[in-house]
């Protein structure tokens, strides 16, 4: 056993020196709130202070999700973000043209973080952050969504697949990430059984993200 004295440091903030502005997709750049940055014409900037919530955009599962949202979100879409974490996907969806996003998370820390990031981006009118899961929302509301996005582990994605099919419109998109390559087949099969057809697939660092479209005649 070896011991040594180290300088005192604010470890809760020390990691911030490694979090720099990063271009995630053709349109989207994630910028830490404490960094100065001048966007290029047409570039959309997501202001972010993730705190203790998951989702800085630097992890493959988050960046893949944002790239797929850029492919599927259309102007005026209504979006539901399940397991919103830092709120990065909800904010990105609005930046890409969504009219409104319902951002859900069961973790109160994530709800607080997402709410603050929504405020930092001036999107309080477009993004509604709630402490809830998809089943609670489905039981309380008859709203249907154009896009559902979830960056959660594969077993959880599979567990609410039928609920996902019921809260989206025919022809709507389901963007799913957080899937390790070994679980891709399980998620794809669950999507197909629930009435979705996989259209887009992205792979990075053994993580897979899928964008599936709900068949118009299902449910």
């Amino acid at each position: 056993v070896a011991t040594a004295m180290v300088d005192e440091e604010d470890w809760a903030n020390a990691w911030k020196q490694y979090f720099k502005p990063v271009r995630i997709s053709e349109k989207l750049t994630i910028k830490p709130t404490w960094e100065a940055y001048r966007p290029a014409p047409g570039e959309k900037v997501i202001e972010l202070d993730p705190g203790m919530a998951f989702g800085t955009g630097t992890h493959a599962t988050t960046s893949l999700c944002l790239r797929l949202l850029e492919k599927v979100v259309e102007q005026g879409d209504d979006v539901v973000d399940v397991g919103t974490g830092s709120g990065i996907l909800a904010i990105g969806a609005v930046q890409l043209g969504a009219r409104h996003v319902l951002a859900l998370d069961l973790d109160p820390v994530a709800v607080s973080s997402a709410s603050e990031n929504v405020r930092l981006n001036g999107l309080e009118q477009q993004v509604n952050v709630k402490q809830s899961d998809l089943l609670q929302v489905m039981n309380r509301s008859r709203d249907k969504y154009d896009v559902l996005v979830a960056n959660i582990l594969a077993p959880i994605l599979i567990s609410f697949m039928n609920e996902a099919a019921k809260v989206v419109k025919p022809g709507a998109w389901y963007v799913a990430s957080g899937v390790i390559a070994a679980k891709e087949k399980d998620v794809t099969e669950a999507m197909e059984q629930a009435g979705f057809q996989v259209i887009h697939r992205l792979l990075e660092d053994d993580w897979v993200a899928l964008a599936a479209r709900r068949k118009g005649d299902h449910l």
Side-chain angles (χ1 to χ4, degrees):
V1 177
T3 62
M5 295 295 293
V6 297
D7 293 334
E8 286 193 19
E9 191 168 355
D10 183 359
W11 295 109
N13 292 304
W15 62 273
K16 291 183 177 181
Q17 65 181 301
Y18 304 107
F19 185 20
K20 302 294 183 181
V22 57
R23 188 75 172 258
I24 291 296
S25 66
E26 184 179 338
K27 296 179 182 177
L28 295 172
T29 291
I30 298 165
K31 184 187 87 65
T33 55
W34 55 88
E35 289 279 337
Y37 185 76
R38 180 176 292 179
E43 186 178 4
K44 305 290 186 181
V45 175
I46 301 173
E47 294 274 355
L48 194 70
D49 185 349
M52 294 176 64
F54 179 81
T56 62
T58 57
H59 193 275
T61 58
T62 311
S63 61
L64 290 173
C65 241
L66 288 168
R67 290 174 204 162
L68 284 179
L69 285 175
E70 189 166 301
K71 287 180 178 290
V72 306
V73 171
E74 296 183 358
Q75 201 71 33
D77 276 353
D78 289 322
V79 178
V80 57
D81 174 16
V82 183
T84 194
S86 65
I88 186 172
L89 299 179
I91 295 164
V94 174
Q95 298 280 37
L96 293 168
R99 181 185 70 88
H100 179 265
V101 182
L102 176 61
L104 308 174
D105 208 297
L106 289 171
D107 183 354
V109 173
V111 170
S112 175
S113 175
S115 298
E116 176 60 15
N117 284 316
V118 167
R119 187 193 65 78
L120 289 170
N121 286 271
L123 299 179
E124 296 97 326
Q125 299 302 312
Q126 290 104 317
V127 181
N128 181 16
V129 183
K130 284 190 175 182
Q131 186 174 351
S132 178
D133 62 16
L134 192 61
L135 186 59
Q136 292 178 54
V137 167
M138 188 177 73
N139 290 336
R140 294 173 187 169
S141 172
R142 295 183 179 180
D143 291 340
K144 299 283 186 178
Y145 297 90
D146 302 290
V147 180
L148 185 151
V149 59
N151 181 15
I152 309 176
L153 295 177
I156 304 174
L157 291 171
I158 293 169
S159 71
F160 65 73
M161 195 66 69
N162 290 328
E163 285 79 14
K166 292 175 183 176
V167 300
V168 297
K169 302 171 184 175
W173 289 97
Y174 181 9
V175 176
S177 190
V179 182
I180 58 172
K183 294 289 185 180
E184 179 183 1
K185 183 179 178 181
D186 295 340
V187 175
T188 300
E189 288 178 351
M191 283 179 157
E192 290 172 352
Q193 290 172 8
F196 292 97
Q197 180 181 2
V198 176
I199 306 295
H200 302 294
R201 173 186 182 271
L202 296 178
L203 173 67
E204 183 181 331
D205 298 336
D206 206 38
W207 292 100
V208 178
L210 304 167
R213 200 151 206 179
R214 186 186 157 190
K215 299 172 186 176
D217 59 351
H218 188 80
L219 296 178

